[in-house]
């Protein structure tokens, strides 16, 4: 029987990610800086630990703003439109994501 991932493991992973966060690291979704203190983030909330590809059976792998996490609740996206703008890039043609909506993955 496989060991199931649980809330205690999620909490430890989130705390590890937050410990390693350097104030000013950029959010992979919106490209805005993230901070340990909630009041310094644009949404005034603590950063969230995000599961890659919304895979809740494994621990979270990145931090993103709470608002960004809520924007992609139904489909995981690597980078949102704000990230491309912050980095002076144009989204790839196949990137159909838009603010507030996740990009559907092919599988």
């Amino acid at each position: 029987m496989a060991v199931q991932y649980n809330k205690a493991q999620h909490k430890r992973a989130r705390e590890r990610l937050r410990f390693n966060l350097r104030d000013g690291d950029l959010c992979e979704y919106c490209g805005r800086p993230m901070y340990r203190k909630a009041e310094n983030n644009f949404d005034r909330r603590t950063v969230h630990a995000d599961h890659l590809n919304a895979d809740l059976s494994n621990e979270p792998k990145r931090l993103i703003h709470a608002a960004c996490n809520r924007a992609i609740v139904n489909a995981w996206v690597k980078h949102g439109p704000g990230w491309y703008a912050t980095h002076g890039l144009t989204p790839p043609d196949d990137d159909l994501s838009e603010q507030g909506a996740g990009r559907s993955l092919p599988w």
Side-chain angles (χ1 to χ4, degrees):
M1 184 171 166
V3 176
Q4 238 181 339
Y5 177 74
N6 62 43
K7 287 183 181 185
Q9 291 170 310
H10 178 83
K11 183 178 179 179
R12 283 193 299 273
R14 181 184 66 230
E15 291 308 314
R16 186 185 72 252
L17 289 166
R18 289 189 69 214
F19 177 82
N20 291 320
L21 174 68
R22 292 173 304 185
D23 280 345
D25 281 352
L26 300 180
C27 173
E28 283 190 22
Y29 184 75
C30 71
R32 294 180 222 175
M34 298 183 294
Y35 301 94
R36 285 190 180 111
K37 290 186 176 182
E39 61 268 14
N40 294 335
N41 290 314
F42 84 93
D43 58 359
R44 317 272 305 152
R45 298 181 65 198
T46 57
V47 290
H48 282 196
D50 185 42
H51 297 270
L52 298 184
N53 298 319
D55 180 5
L56 300 179
S57 66
N58 290 302
E59 68 180 39
K61 302 293 185 197
R62 68 178 181 176
L63 291 174
I64 60 176
H65 293 109
C68 297
N69 197 27
R70 296 293 180 229
I72 61 171
V73 72
N74 293 322
W76 186 86
V77 268
K78 175 73 174 170
H79 300 301
W83 184 90
Y84 292 104
T86 298
H87 291 84
L89 301 171
T90 303
D93 290 339
D94 66 341
D95 187 352
L96 304 175
S97 62
E98 51 187 321
Q99 191 70 29
R103 184 173 130 200
S104 297
L105 298 173
W107 60 84

